[in-house]
Structures are given as structure tokens and as C-alpha cells.
Amino acid sequence: MSLLSRRHFIAAPAALAWGASAHAAEAATPQRGGTLVIGTGREPPGLTSALTTAGPTQLVSGKVFDGLLSYDAQLRPLPRLATKWETSADGLAITFHLRPGVKWHDGQPFTSADVAFSLLEVWKKFNARGRSIFLNVEKVDTPSPTVAVLRLSRPAPYILGALSAIESQVIPRHLYAGADVLANPRNNAPVGTGPFRFVRWDRGRQLVLERNADYWDRDRPWLDQIVFRQITDPAAAVAALETGAIHIAGEVPLSDVANLARNPQLAVHRRTQPSTTGIAAIEFNLERPLWRDVRVRQAIAHAVDRNFLVKNIWHGYAEATDAPIPSAFPAFHTTDVPHYPFDLQRAEALLDAAGLKRDGRGTRLAFTLDPNAGSSQTLVQAAQVLRANLARIGVRVDVRIQDFGEFINRVYTRRDFDASVYMANAGPDPAIGTQRFYWSKNIQPGVAFSNGAAYRSAEADRLLEIAQYETNVERRRAIYTQFQQLVQTDLPKIPLVAPEAVVVARKGLRDFLDPADGTLGNFAGAWIARDGGSPA
């Protein structure tokens, strides 16, 4: 508990500043009714976050399911499906007392058996983050329907920071046990315990949720419906915001944000989200022979102009970073790592040393770069900037564009790629967000946003695993510093920038941003002011 308290205190200022301004602006009596319309540019690969860390899934799924806990702006745990909890003196047992009377959307009771099944049969097996988060959980005792006891082989204090609905989602055992979890039709038509029920998914067009009238949390939710309307053209999403056709745009071009901020009907919310701050990075497929010499990877790193990316691609809504853990997590971030400043001459010298001379066409090396275009167009633009820089040093890059599902399949299942550019959550704790990308035990075909580089380092594994159960704050920080120094030397991936969360919404929409999870939260408290209108 002391570890969590220290980290939360250090991480508090940015999140608290956002929370104070948001609540001051939105303090009013909630009004019931209305349909919230969210414009989304990406169709989710599924609707159950227990199986994936994909953002489009979390956006929907976090409103259908509740987690054992939720979190405030300082990432302190709050009751949700669990009303209280305690950790044994030796750190080897965490007991959760579950909220009585909670029902799944099909009317069946929520019990400790659902928690045990979800953790042991789903989170530990199929979730890229869950595989490391719950590594030390050996079993889950269920002495009563309202008590679940996690039994650990070693202490894992960070687990209490990883139990939100989008992180470790409890799913209904009675609909999953005894069948293929990954092929279950409920993955795309979920039955949850959350404030909104799944109604229908018209693929390529819209997805509809409705108010759960039997929700345990008093009079909530306030909204009647949430509609996720697919708008693949960012310009069309901006126009829909301006005309009031939607309340929130899932992805607004960052180049348009300053102009939208001048619209009196719109509000721009920007902050570093304490639980979901991510890093955009280049990841190498280390199973490809062209990356075997670390000097080649170092040369690519020296061709990255992070400051240009921040200014011209992220339009100032990001921070340049060359550490695996961003500064949003100051308890673990360090600047004491190998640095690869933008230096094309140094990049050329490294390629020369690696024996990659220019051919008759001036080309030393060629590879294909796969940006996650389904995640953000900024990643495509970043890939194009990198292509231009690498061309100057004799490296030919083919930027390959594909939809989100094909990107996931190519990188994490077929492994048919040379290098990728993607963005993924690095927090709220390194054991939760960062470990999955570097831990060799997380080289798991089919598990999205895992160790896609296929990076194998016994020393990195050792550091990551001892950091998981180290309870001394300063020793744990020192371990993660060693880890960051090691992986920035081995360079299986190149950190680029840590983007801010930028959300543009109609001013009539109130109390919708979760203190920890932003728009990924459950929207149980969201409401639409009468003068805010309800899009058709």
C-alpha cells in the first residue's frame, strides 16, 4: 500500500489540475434523459476488454462492464464491484469483499466465481497486460459468493492499481465456462454489470447501448442511450461536432484543435491521463535478419527528429521522450538512459560500420514500416516523416497502410512485418503497462500489444520480475532505472513521443470524463444539459 500511495502522490499534480477545472466548469444538477452520440473513426475488433487492450474496444466496453475498483485523479482505488479490500501482512493474499445484489445484464447474480474465472482463465491467458499483472496469482479462493481471495506466490502491490473495468474486466462465468473463450459470441454482444446494456452493433455504421435500469449505483446512469456512430473521415467528424450531429469526436485532427477551441459551442479538454498515458514508438521485428546488428537499429534511432514530430505531427499536444516509461509516471521515469539524438551523420556512420554500403542507386537497406493507421492518422504521418529522413541516409522505407484488424493480425499473429509504429498505454505502473512489451514470456502469438518485437533478454526478464514483487519504493525505482538503461541499449523499440489526451466535445455534455480513464470511463455520471441538445 505504501508503494501505491507514494506513486499516486507524485503523479497527482497534472491530473488534479485537470480535475479541478473540469468539475468547477461542470458543477450543476444532472438532468436525466437524452442520447449521447460519439463519433468514432475506428471500429473495435471486439467488445470485451478482458481479451484485448485495444482502445476502440475499451471505449465501448468500459460502459458495459464494471471493474472491481475504479480510481480517482491520484489513482487511489475506489469501491466499484468490490466495496472493500485488504492485503495480508506478508502481501501474499488480497481479499475483496464484493458488492451484494449486483446482477449481470441477463439477470444472473454476480459472484466471486465470476472473479476467479475471469482472472485465472481469461486475464492471465489472453490479455497482454494481464499476463504480467497476475503472474504471481496462483489461485483465487471463493469462500462465499461475496468474497474473493487472491493467493499470490510473491507480493504484487501494483495489482490494486489494475482492477478497473477497462484493465481487468470481470466477465460472466456462466456464459464463458466450458467453451472457447476467444470464439464466444458474447465477445461481440457483451453481457456486463455496468451502467449501460448492449443493444446492437450495425458494423460499419453504429453501435447502440441503452440505460441499465437495474444498475446498482443509485439513480445512475443519467443518459438513456449512448450511440457510437462510425465516421471514418476526420474532416466529417469535425463538421459533425460543429453542427451538433455528435457530442464527442473520437479522433479530431490535432491541426484542427486550436480552431475548434474558438467555437463557443465546443470545449477542448487536454491533459495527461494518469492511468492511460501512452508512448508512440517504433518497434522492430527482431526475428528479421536485417535487425540483428544493434548498430542498424541505432542508426534508425538517430534518424528520428522527435522535436519535429511534437511540433508538426502532434501540434504541441505531446512530449518528446526517449525512455520506455514517460515522465507522466515520475516515480519510475528516468533520463539516465542511452540517448539517440537526431543526427543523420551519426546514423550514416553506424550503417557504414555495420557494413551496409550504398548500392548503385544509393540504397543501403530497405524495409517495410507498418503504422497502426486504425489507431491514429498521426502515426501514419510520423511514419512518413521517418521515411523521408531515412531516405537521406540511403534507407528505403515502404509505409504500408492497413485497417486496425489487419495491423493486429499482421504484427501479433502472422508476424509478417519488418517494423511497426504504434501507440500503447505505458501505465499506470510499469508492471501493468510497460512490462508486456519487453518480457520474453509475453511473446504470445495472437495477443495484441504484447512483445511484438520478440525481444528476448534474460536480464530484462530478471529485472522486470523482481520489480513486480519489490515493495521498497526506492529499490523498485532503481530496478526500473536499470531496466530502462538495458532496453535502451538493446533497442528493440524506439520511444518517440508521449501524447496528451485531447478531447473535443459539445459544451452541453457534462461530467463525462473519468478522473483516471478519461473517455474510456463508464459515463454513469454523464448527462446532457437541456440547452446542450441531443443529436439526431
Side-chain angles (χ1 to χ4, degrees), residues 368-400:
T368 300
L369 184 61
D370 291 285
N372 183 4
S375 173
S376 172
Q377 285 302 304
T378 55
L379 297 176
V380 175
Q381 295 164 3
Q384 292 167 339
V385 169
L386 183 66
R387 176 177 62 188
N389 286 343
L390 288 171
R392 295 166 61 185
I393 60 172
V395 177
R396 181 170 56 81
V397 177
D398 176 25
V399 175
R400 178 166 48 197

PDB file of all heavy atoms in Angstrom, residues 368-400:
ATOM      1  N   THR A 368       9.908  -2.494 -44.773  1.00  0.00           N
ATOM      2  CA  THR A 368       8.519  -2.039 -44.753  1.00  0.00           C
ATOM      3  C   THR A 368       8.155  -1.622 -43.339  1.00  0.00           C
ATOM      4  O   THR A 368       8.464  -2.326 -42.375  1.00  0.00           O
ATOM      5  CB  THR A 368       7.573  -3.151 -45.221  1.00  0.00           C
ATOM      6  OG1 THR A 368       7.916  -3.515 -46.558  1.00  0.00           O
ATOM      7  CG2 THR A 368       6.129  -2.689 -45.193  1.00  0.00           C
ATOM      8  N   LEU A 369       7.498  -0.477 -43.223  1.00  0.00           N
ATOM      9  CA  LEU A 369       7.089   0.061 -41.936  1.00  0.00           C
ATOM     10  C   LEU A 369       5.564   0.092 -41.871  1.00  0.00           C
ATOM     11  O   LEU A 369       4.914   0.660 -42.746  1.00  0.00           O
ATOM     12  CB  LEU A 369       7.655   1.471 -41.759  1.00  0.00           C
ATOM     13  CG  LEU A 369       7.407   2.175 -40.420  1.00  0.00           C
ATOM     14  CD1 LEU A 369       8.018   1.395 -39.272  1.00  0.00           C
ATOM     15  CD2 LEU A 369       7.975   3.595 -40.463  1.00  0.00           C
ATOM     16  N   ASP A 370       5.014  -0.533 -40.848  1.00  0.00           N
ATOM     17  CA  ASP A 370       3.565  -0.647 -40.692  1.00  0.00           C
ATOM     18  C   ASP A 370       3.083   0.239 -39.552  1.00  0.00           C
ATOM     19  O   ASP A 370       3.179  -0.146 -38.377  1.00  0.00           O
ATOM     20  CB  ASP A 370       3.164  -2.096 -40.403  1.00  0.00           C
ATOM     21  CG  ASP A 370       3.371  -3.004 -41.594  1.00  0.00           C
ATOM     22  OD1 ASP A 370       2.562  -2.921 -42.535  1.00  0.00           O
ATOM     23  OD2 ASP A 370       4.333  -3.805 -41.582  1.00  0.00           O
ATOM     24  N   PRO A 371       2.553   1.436 -39.828  1.00  0.00           N
ATOM     25  CA  PRO A 371       1.942   2.232 -38.759  1.00  0.00           C
ATOM     26  C   PRO A 371       0.547   1.711 -38.454  1.00  0.00           C
ATOM     27  O   PRO A 371      -0.144   1.184 -39.338  1.00  0.00           O
ATOM     28  CB  PRO A 371       1.885   3.634 -39.364  1.00  0.00           C
ATOM     29  CG  PRO A 371       1.766   3.401 -40.836  1.00  0.00           C
ATOM     30  CD  PRO A 371       2.532   2.134 -41.125  1.00  0.00           C
ATOM     31  N   ASN A 372       0.137   1.850 -37.219  1.00  0.00           N
ATOM     32  CA  ASN A 372      -1.218   1.457 -36.848  1.00  0.00           C
ATOM     33  C   ASN A 372      -2.175   2.558 -37.293  1.00  0.00           C
ATOM     34  O   ASN A 372      -2.590   3.405 -36.501  1.00  0.00           O
ATOM     35  CB  ASN A 372      -1.307   1.220 -35.337  1.00  0.00           C
ATOM     36  CG  ASN A 372      -2.679   0.732 -34.912  1.00  0.00           C
ATOM     37  OD1 ASN A 372      -3.558   0.491 -35.744  1.00  0.00           O
ATOM     38  ND2 ASN A 372      -2.879   0.579 -33.614  1.00  0.00           N
ATOM     39  N   ALA A 373      -2.518   2.510 -38.561  1.00  0.00           N
ATOM     40  CA  ALA A 373      -3.366   3.552 -39.146  1.00  0.00           C
ATOM     41  C   ALA A 373      -4.754   3.552 -38.534  1.00  0.00           C
ATOM     42  O   ALA A 373      -5.428   4.586 -38.493  1.00  0.00           O
ATOM     43  CB  ALA A 373      -3.462   3.355 -40.660  1.00  0.00           C
ATOM     44  N   GLY A 374      -5.192   2.381 -38.059  1.00  0.00           N
ATOM     45  CA  GLY A 374      -6.502   2.303 -37.429  1.00  0.00           C
ATOM     46  C   GLY A 374      -6.533   2.944 -36.066  1.00  0.00           C
ATOM     47  O   GLY A 374      -7.597   3.178 -35.502  1.00  0.00           O
ATOM     48  N   SER A 375      -5.364   3.216 -35.494  1.00  0.00           N
ATOM     49  CA  SER A 375      -5.299   3.859 -34.188  1.00  0.00           C
ATOM     50  C   SER A 375      -5.270   5.375 -34.311  1.00  0.00           C
ATOM     51  O   SER A 375      -5.968   6.079 -33.595  1.00  0.00           O
ATOM     52  CB  SER A 375      -4.055   3.375 -33.437  1.00  0.00           C
ATOM     53  OG  SER A 375      -3.861   4.087 -32.253  1.00  0.00           O
ATOM     54  N   SER A 376      -4.452   5.880 -35.244  1.00  0.00           N
ATOM     55  CA  SER A 376      -4.318   7.330 -35.369  1.00  0.00           C
ATOM     56  C   SER A 376      -3.634   7.681 -36.673  1.00  0.00           C
ATOM     57  O   SER A 376      -2.630   7.072 -37.038  1.00  0.00           O
ATOM     58  CB  SER A 376      -3.509   7.878 -34.185  1.00  0.00           C
ATOM     59  OG  SER A 376      -3.221   9.232 -34.366  1.00  0.00           O
ATOM     60  N   GLN A 377      -4.156   8.677 -37.351  1.00  0.00           N
ATOM     61  CA  GLN A 377      -3.502   9.153 -38.565  1.00  0.00           C
ATOM     62  C   GLN A 377      -2.180   9.834 -38.259  1.00  0.00           C
ATOM     63  O   GLN A 377      -1.308   9.934 -39.123  1.00  0.00           O
ATOM     64  CB  GLN A 377      -4.436  10.105 -39.316  1.00  0.00           C
ATOM     65  CG  GLN A 377      -5.577   9.410 -40.039  1.00  0.00           C
ATOM     66  CD  GLN A 377      -5.074   8.387 -41.047  1.00  0.00           C
ATOM     67  OE1 GLN A 377      -4.287   8.711 -41.938  1.00  0.00           O
ATOM     68  NE2 GLN A 377      -5.519   7.150 -40.898  1.00  0.00           N
ATOM     69  N   THR A 378      -2.012  10.304 -37.023  1.00  0.00           N
ATOM     70  CA  THR A 378      -0.733  10.898 -36.661  1.00  0.00           C
ATOM     71  C   THR A 378       0.389   9.873 -36.757  1.00  0.00           C
ATOM     72  O   THR A 378       1.530  10.230 -37.072  1.00  0.00           O
ATOM     73  CB  THR A 378      -0.777  11.476 -35.234  1.00  0.00           C
ATOM     74  OG1 THR A 378      -1.197  10.460 -34.323  1.00  0.00           O
ATOM     75  CG2 THR A 378      -1.726  12.657 -35.145  1.00  0.00           C
ATOM     76  N   LEU A 379       0.082   8.611 -36.505  1.00  0.00           N
ATOM     77  CA  LEU A 379       1.110   7.576 -36.612  1.00  0.00           C
ATOM     78  C   LEU A 379       1.517   7.365 -38.068  1.00  0.00           C
ATOM     79  O   LEU A 379       2.685   7.105 -38.362  1.00  0.00           O
ATOM     80  CB  LEU A 379       0.605   6.264 -36.004  1.00  0.00           C
ATOM     81  CG  LEU A 379       0.300   6.303 -34.509  1.00  0.00           C
ATOM     82  CD1 LEU A 379      -0.278   4.964 -34.050  1.00  0.00           C
ATOM     83  CD2 LEU A 379       1.546   6.647 -33.699  1.00  0.00           C
ATOM     84  N   VAL A 380       0.569   7.480 -38.986  1.00  0.00           N
ATOM     85  CA  VAL A 380       0.885   7.397 -40.409  1.00  0.00           C
ATOM     86  C   VAL A 380       1.780   8.573 -40.801  1.00  0.00           C
ATOM     87  O   VAL A 380       2.784   8.413 -41.505  1.00  0.00           O
ATOM     88  CB  VAL A 380      -0.403   7.392 -41.255  1.00  0.00           C
ATOM     89  CG1 VAL A 380      -0.068   7.425 -42.744  1.00  0.00           C
ATOM     90  CG2 VAL A 380      -1.252   6.167 -40.928  1.00  0.00           C
ATOM     91  N   GLN A 381       1.425   9.755 -40.339  1.00  0.00           N
ATOM     92  CA  GLN A 381       2.225  10.938 -40.652  1.00  0.00           C
ATOM     93  C   GLN A 381       3.631  10.826 -40.068  1.00  0.00           C
ATOM     94  O   GLN A 381       4.617  11.205 -40.714  1.00  0.00           O
ATOM     95  CB  GLN A 381       1.515  12.181 -40.125  1.00  0.00           C
ATOM     96  CG  GLN A 381       0.187  12.459 -40.819  1.00  0.00           C
ATOM     97  CD  GLN A 381      -0.685  13.434 -40.052  1.00  0.00           C
ATOM     98  OE1 GLN A 381      -0.283  13.958 -39.013  1.00  0.00           O
ATOM     99  NE2 GLN A 381      -1.891  13.664 -40.553  1.00  0.00           N
ATOM    100  N   ALA A 382       3.732  10.286 -38.852  1.00  0.00           N
ATOM    101  CA  ALA A 382       5.047  10.093 -38.241  1.00  0.00           C
ATOM    102  C   ALA A 382       5.875   9.114 -39.059  1.00  0.00           C
ATOM    103  O   ALA A 382       7.086   9.315 -39.265  1.00  0.00           O
ATOM    104  CB  ALA A 382       4.894   9.593 -36.806  1.00  0.00           C
ATOM    105  N   ALA A 383       5.239   8.055 -39.559  1.00  0.00           N
ATOM    106  CA  ALA A 383       5.942   7.075 -40.394  1.00  0.00           C
ATOM    107  C   ALA A 383       6.436   7.720 -41.679  1.00  0.00           C
ATOM    108  O   ALA A 383       7.532   7.415 -42.164  1.00  0.00           O
ATOM    109  CB  ALA A 383       5.020   5.893 -40.690  1.00  0.00           C
ATOM    110  N   GLN A 384       5.631   8.602 -42.242  1.00  0.00           N
ATOM    111  CA  GLN A 384       6.041   9.278 -43.477  1.00  0.00           C
ATOM    112  C   GLN A 384       7.214  10.223 -43.242  1.00  0.00           C
ATOM    113  O   GLN A 384       8.108  10.338 -44.091  1.00  0.00           O
ATOM    114  CB  GLN A 384       4.839  10.019 -44.065  1.00  0.00           C
ATOM    115  CG  GLN A 384       3.746   9.077 -44.572  1.00  0.00           C
ATOM    116  CD  GLN A 384       2.434   9.773 -44.854  1.00  0.00           C
ATOM    117  OE1 GLN A 384       2.160  10.867 -44.339  1.00  0.00           O
ATOM    118  NE2 GLN A 384       1.583   9.133 -45.653  1.00  0.00           N
ATOM    119  N   VAL A 385       7.237  10.892 -42.084  1.00  0.00           N
ATOM    120  CA  VAL A 385       8.385  11.741 -41.735  1.00  0.00           C
ATOM    121  C   VAL A 385       9.636  10.884 -41.595  1.00  0.00           C
ATOM    122  O   VAL A 385      10.718  11.245 -42.095  1.00  0.00           O
ATOM    123  CB  VAL A 385       8.105  12.514 -40.432  1.00  0.00           C
ATOM    124  CG1 VAL A 385       9.380  13.190 -39.922  1.00  0.00           C
ATOM    125  CG2 VAL A 385       7.017  13.564 -40.653  1.00  0.00           C
ATOM    126  N   LEU A 386       9.507   9.755 -40.936  1.00  0.00           N
ATOM    127  CA  LEU A 386      10.649   8.858 -40.766  1.00  0.00           C
ATOM    128  C   LEU A 386      11.150   8.364 -42.128  1.00  0.00           C
ATOM    129  O   LEU A 386      12.357   8.298 -42.373  1.00  0.00           O
ATOM    130  CB  LEU A 386      10.271   7.678 -39.879  1.00  0.00           C
ATOM    131  CG  LEU A 386      11.403   6.714 -39.570  1.00  0.00           C
ATOM    132  CD1 LEU A 386      12.473   7.376 -38.727  1.00  0.00           C
ATOM    133  CD2 LEU A 386      10.890   5.456 -38.878  1.00  0.00           C
ATOM    134  N   ARG A 387      10.217   8.034 -43.016  1.00  0.00           N
ATOM    135  CA  ARG A 387      10.603   7.592 -44.371  1.00  0.00           C
ATOM    136  C   ARG A 387      11.442   8.649 -45.070  1.00  0.00           C
ATOM    137  O   ARG A 387      12.475   8.331 -45.685  1.00  0.00           O
ATOM    138  CB  ARG A 387       9.344   7.283 -45.188  1.00  0.00           C
ATOM    139  CG  ARG A 387       9.632   6.914 -46.635  1.00  0.00           C
ATOM    140  CD  ARG A 387       8.353   6.556 -47.374  1.00  0.00           C
ATOM    141  NE  ARG A 387       7.423   7.677 -47.419  1.00  0.00           N
ATOM    142  CZ  ARG A 387       6.172   7.588 -47.862  1.00  0.00           C
ATOM    143  NH1 ARG A 387       5.691   6.410 -48.258  1.00  0.00           N
ATOM    144  NH2 ARG A 387       5.385   8.641 -47.871  1.00  0.00           N
ATOM    145  N   ALA A 388      11.034   9.902 -44.958  1.00  0.00           N
ATOM    146  CA  ALA A 388      11.779  10.981 -45.616  1.00  0.00           C
ATOM    147  C   ALA A 388      13.174  11.136 -45.017  1.00  0.00           C
ATOM    148  O   ALA A 388      14.153  11.321 -45.753  1.00  0.00           O
ATOM    149  CB  ALA A 388      10.995  12.291 -45.495  1.00  0.00           C
ATOM    150  N   ASN A 389      13.274  11.052 -43.699  1.00  0.00           N
ATOM    151  CA  ASN A 389      14.583  11.184 -43.055  1.00  0.00           C
ATOM    152  C   ASN A 389      15.508  10.029 -43.421  1.00  0.00           C
ATOM    153  O   ASN A 389      16.698  10.224 -43.688  1.00  0.00           O
ATOM    154  CB  ASN A 389      14.427  11.259 -41.536  1.00  0.00           C
ATOM    155  CG  ASN A 389      13.884  12.591 -41.064  1.00  0.00           C
ATOM    156  OD1 ASN A 389      13.897  13.572 -41.800  1.00  0.00           O
ATOM    157  ND2 ASN A 389      13.388  12.635 -39.838  1.00  0.00           N
ATOM    158  N   LEU A 390      14.968   8.820 -43.433  1.00  0.00           N
ATOM    159  CA  LEU A 390      15.794   7.653 -43.732  1.00  0.00           C
ATOM    160  C   LEU A 390      16.254   7.640 -45.190  1.00  0.00           C
ATOM    161  O   LEU A 390      17.347   7.140 -45.504  1.00  0.00           O
ATOM    162  CB  LEU A 390      15.039   6.371 -43.391  1.00  0.00           C
ATOM    163  CG  LEU A 390      14.893   6.104 -41.884  1.00  0.00           C
ATOM    164  CD1 LEU A 390      13.956   4.936 -41.638  1.00  0.00           C
ATOM    165  CD2 LEU A 390      16.257   5.823 -41.257  1.00  0.00           C
ATOM    166  N   ALA A 391      15.454   8.202 -46.066  1.00  0.00           N
ATOM    167  CA  ALA A 391      15.854   8.272 -47.470  1.00  0.00           C
ATOM    168  C   ALA A 391      17.139   9.086 -47.623  1.00  0.00           C
ATOM    169  O   ALA A 391      17.952   8.811 -48.520  1.00  0.00           O
ATOM    170  CB  ALA A 391      14.727   8.883 -48.303  1.00  0.00           C
ATOM    171  N   ARG A 392      17.345  10.039 -46.744  1.00  0.00           N
ATOM    172  CA  ARG A 392      18.539  10.892 -46.822  1.00  0.00           C
ATOM    173  C   ARG A 392      19.809  10.133 -46.452  1.00  0.00           C
ATOM    174  O   ARG A 392      20.911  10.583 -46.759  1.00  0.00           O
ATOM    175  CB  ARG A 392      18.359  12.107 -45.911  1.00  0.00           C
ATOM    176  CG  ARG A 392      17.221  13.025 -46.356  1.00  0.00           C
ATOM    177  CD  ARG A 392      16.828  14.018 -45.280  1.00  0.00           C
ATOM    178  NE  ARG A 392      17.923  14.908 -44.905  1.00  0.00           N
ATOM    179  CZ  ARG A 392      17.853  15.791 -43.917  1.00  0.00           C
ATOM    180  NH1 ARG A 392      16.740  15.882 -43.198  1.00  0.00           N
ATOM    181  NH2 ARG A 392      18.889  16.574 -43.639  1.00  0.00           N
ATOM    182  N   ILE A 393      19.667   8.996 -45.769  1.00  0.00           N
ATOM    183  CA  ILE A 393      20.856   8.218 -45.403  1.00  0.00           C
ATOM    184  C   ILE A 393      20.907   6.880 -46.141  1.00  0.00           C
ATOM    185  O   ILE A 393      21.605   5.957 -45.734  1.00  0.00           O
ATOM    186  CB  ILE A 393      20.937   8.001 -43.873  1.00  0.00           C
ATOM    187  CG1 ILE A 393      19.711   7.236 -43.360  1.00  0.00           C
ATOM    188  CG2 ILE A 393      21.070   9.331 -43.151  1.00  0.00           C
ATOM    189  CD1 ILE A 393      19.829   6.829 -41.900  1.00  0.00           C
ATOM    190  N   GLY A 394      20.122   6.776 -47.226  1.00  0.00           N
ATOM    191  CA  GLY A 394      20.206   5.589 -48.066  1.00  0.00           C
ATOM    192  C   GLY A 394      19.355   4.420 -47.607  1.00  0.00           C
ATOM    193  O   GLY A 394      19.591   3.281 -48.017  1.00  0.00           O
ATOM    194  N   VAL A 395      18.343   4.671 -46.779  1.00  0.00           N
ATOM    195  CA  VAL A 395      17.443   3.610 -46.319  1.00  0.00           C
ATOM    196  C   VAL A 395      16.080   3.843 -46.960  1.00  0.00           C
ATOM    197  O   VAL A 395      15.464   4.893 -46.774  1.00  0.00           O
ATOM    198  CB  VAL A 395      17.320   3.599 -44.790  1.00  0.00           C
ATOM    199  CG1 VAL A 395      16.319   2.530 -44.350  1.00  0.00           C
ATOM    200  CG2 VAL A 395      18.683   3.345 -44.144  1.00  0.00           C
ATOM    201  N   ARG A 396      15.639   2.864 -47.735  1.00  0.00           N
ATOM    202  CA  ARG A 396      14.344   2.973 -48.418  1.00  0.00           C
ATOM    203  C   ARG A 396      13.261   2.322 -47.574  1.00  0.00           C
ATOM    204  O   ARG A 396      13.370   1.163 -47.183  1.00  0.00           O
ATOM    205  CB  ARG A 396      14.408   2.318 -49.798  1.00  0.00           C
ATOM    206  CG  ARG A 396      13.097   2.405 -50.590  1.00  0.00           C
ATOM    207  CD  ARG A 396      13.294   1.966 -52.033  1.00  0.00           C
ATOM    208  NE  ARG A 396      13.838   0.627 -52.137  1.00  0.00           N
ATOM    209  CZ  ARG A 396      13.116  -0.491 -52.037  1.00  0.00           C
ATOM    210  NH1 ARG A 396      11.803  -0.411 -51.820  1.00  0.00           N
ATOM    211  NH2 ARG A 396      13.679  -1.678 -52.161  1.00  0.00           N
ATOM    212  N   VAL A 397      12.216   3.080 -47.295  1.00  0.00           N
ATOM    213  CA  VAL A 397      11.131   2.609 -46.441  1.00  0.00           C
ATOM    214  C   VAL A 397       9.825   2.614 -47.222  1.00  0.00           C
ATOM    215  O   VAL A 397       9.464   3.622 -47.849  1.00  0.00           O
ATOM    216  CB  VAL A 397      10.984   3.501 -45.187  1.00  0.00           C
ATOM    217  CG1 VAL A 397       9.799   3.047 -44.343  1.00  0.00           C
ATOM    218  CG2 VAL A 397      12.270   3.477 -44.359  1.00  0.00           C
ATOM    219  N   ASP A 398       9.126   1.497 -47.183  1.00  0.00           N
ATOM    220  CA  ASP A 398       7.787   1.394 -47.758  1.00  0.00           C
ATOM    221  C   ASP A 398       6.798   1.473 -46.598  1.00  0.00           C
ATOM    222  O   ASP A 398       6.766   0.596 -45.740  1.00  0.00           O
ATOM    223  CB  ASP A 398       7.628   0.074 -48.505  1.00  0.00           C
ATOM    224  CG  ASP A 398       6.219  -0.133 -49.040  1.00  0.00           C
ATOM    225  OD1 ASP A 398       5.510   0.869 -49.261  1.00  0.00           O
ATOM    226  OD2 ASP A 398       5.822  -1.304 -49.228  1.00  0.00           O
ATOM    227  N   VAL A 399       5.998   2.551 -46.547  1.00  0.00           N
ATOM    228  CA  VAL A 399       4.993   2.700 -45.500  1.00  0.00           C
ATOM    229  C   VAL A 399       3.720   1.993 -45.962  1.00  0.00           C
ATOM    230  O   VAL A 399       3.112   2.380 -46.961  1.00  0.00           O
ATOM    231  CB  VAL A 399       4.710   4.186 -45.197  1.00  0.00           C
ATOM    232  CG1 VAL A 399       3.576   4.326 -44.184  1.00  0.00           C
ATOM    233  CG2 VAL A 399       5.978   4.864 -44.674  1.00  0.00           C
ATOM    234  N   ARG A 400       3.331   0.967 -45.231  1.00  0.00           N
ATOM    235  CA  ARG A 400       2.178   0.130 -45.614  1.00  0.00           C
ATOM    236  C   ARG A 400       0.980   0.476 -44.730  1.00  0.00           C
ATOM    237  O   ARG A 400       1.057   0.415 -43.515  1.00  0.00           O
ATOM    238  CB  ARG A 400       2.544  -1.346 -45.474  1.00  0.00           C
ATOM    239  CG  ARG A 400       1.414  -2.311 -45.792  1.00  0.00           C
ATOM    240  CD  ARG A 400       1.931  -3.736 -45.954  1.00  0.00           C
ATOM    241  NE  ARG A 400       2.821  -4.151 -44.878  1.00  0.00           N
ATOM    242  CZ  ARG A 400       3.641  -5.210 -44.953  1.00  0.00           C
ATOM    243  NH1 ARG A 400       3.701  -5.935 -46.054  1.00  0.00           N
ATOM    244  NH2 ARG A 400       4.422  -5.525 -43.928  1.00  0.00           N
TER     245      ARG A 400
END
